[in-house]
Amino acid sequence: LVRILKREIEKLPTDRLCLRITCRTSVWLESSSLEEKFKEKWKEANTGIYELAPLRRTDIIEAAKVNGVDYDNFLQEILNREATPLAIKPVTLIFLLNTYRKNGEFPLSQKELYEQGCLHLCEEVNPDRRESGNKGKLSSYQRLVLAGRIAAVMIFANRAAIWTYSEIVNMPNSDIAIL
């Protein structure tokens, strides 16, 4: 993909084109030559590379206010359930806000809260896939079970990522192949 983008960028008019690419930090690090191409084409002053940071307490409070949630009690529930790792990411913060707004509290145990959050993350939320019937055949629970098995393999193999490329020649030692 990097090679294709670098080649195609050469053909584009930079005076009226604004390009934004998002990806995981680790993937972007592998694309440093693409970053150099951006700087060459748009000049360094017009090229920005940003890494999204976790949400801050003030961000969580603002989200609670916007969603009509009592932020003092909401923050206390987050602390009581040790759910800060869920609160500092937008996708799971939305889950927490919806859960709290619906029930006025979180489940009694942290385990139950995390299980509900994981099930939420396993739902297909893309409206195009849902409307077209391309959301897959697995239920959220089946996806969760599958994700759990993958996580177990990664933990027992002491690996940090899954290598999805067909060639394993350049696979980092920290990855596990799906071959």
Side-chain angles (χ1 to χ4, degrees):
L1 182 61
V2 170
R3 281 180 263 167
I4 294 169
L5 284 172
K6 286 171 59 177
R7 182 179 64 235
E8 294 301 317
I9 284 171
E10 281 303 318
K11 304 173 190 174
L12 300 173
T14 56
D15 59 326
R16 50 178 221 226
L17 176 67
C18 177
L19 179 65
R20 180 177 298 147
I21 296 178
T22 61
C23 68
R24 293 186 182 108
T25 303
S26 62
V27 173
W28 185 256
L29 295 175
E30 297 170 6
S31 305
S32 60
S33 66
L34 182 59
E35 182 176 330
E36 292 305 314
K37 176 56 87 177
F38 288 162
K39 290 176 181 177
E40 175 188 314
K41 188 72 174 171
W42 279 277
K43 309 297 180 232
E44 183 139 4
N46 296 323
T47 302
I49 309 299
Y50 304 97
E51 184 172 349
L52 294 179
L55 296 173
R56 303 164 299 167
R57 181 184 184 94
T58 57
D59 301 321
I60 296 166
I61 290 171
E62 182 62 27
K65 287 178 182 177
V66 167
N67 283 276
V69 170
D70 175 358
Y71 64 87
D72 282 327
N73 290 334
F74 180 67
L75 287 175
Q76 192 57 52
E77 279 285 306
I78 289 170
L79 294 173
N80 291 346
R81 299 297 181 271
E82 298 178 14
T84 302
L86 295 176
I88 62 174
K89 296 175 182 73
V91 171
T92 47
L93 175 60
I94 292 168
F95 156 73
L96 290 175
L97 286 165
N98 289 338
T99 300
Y100 187 82
R101 199 172 47 225
K102 180 180 174 186
N103 305 322
E105 61 184 4
F106 294 142
L108 294 177
S109 74
Q110 184 188 45
K111 177 189 176 287
E112 190 178 348
L113 176 64
Y114 272 75
E115 185 175 346
Q116 285 182 14
C118 288
L119 279 169
H120 171 74
L121 291 172
C122 290
E123 293 174 5
E124 179 56 71
V125 294
N126 183 309
D128 293 332
R129 286 194 202 119
R130 292 174 71 105
E131 289 172 15
S132 67
N134 290 327
K135 64 179 192 168
K137 295 183 188 318
L138 297 178
S139 69
S140 296
Y141 182 76
Q142 289 170 316
R143 289 177 183 177
L144 181 61
V145 168
L146 183 59
R149 290 178 182 167
I150 292 169
V153 168
M154 292 177 65
I155 288 169
F156 290 126
N158 194 25
R159 298 295 186 252
I162 299 171
W163 185 260
T164 58
Y165 301 101
S166 58
E167 295 180 14
I168 61 170
V169 176
N170 297 322
M171 184 177 81
N173 290 336
S174 62
D175 288 10
I176 189 167
I178 59 171
L179 302 174

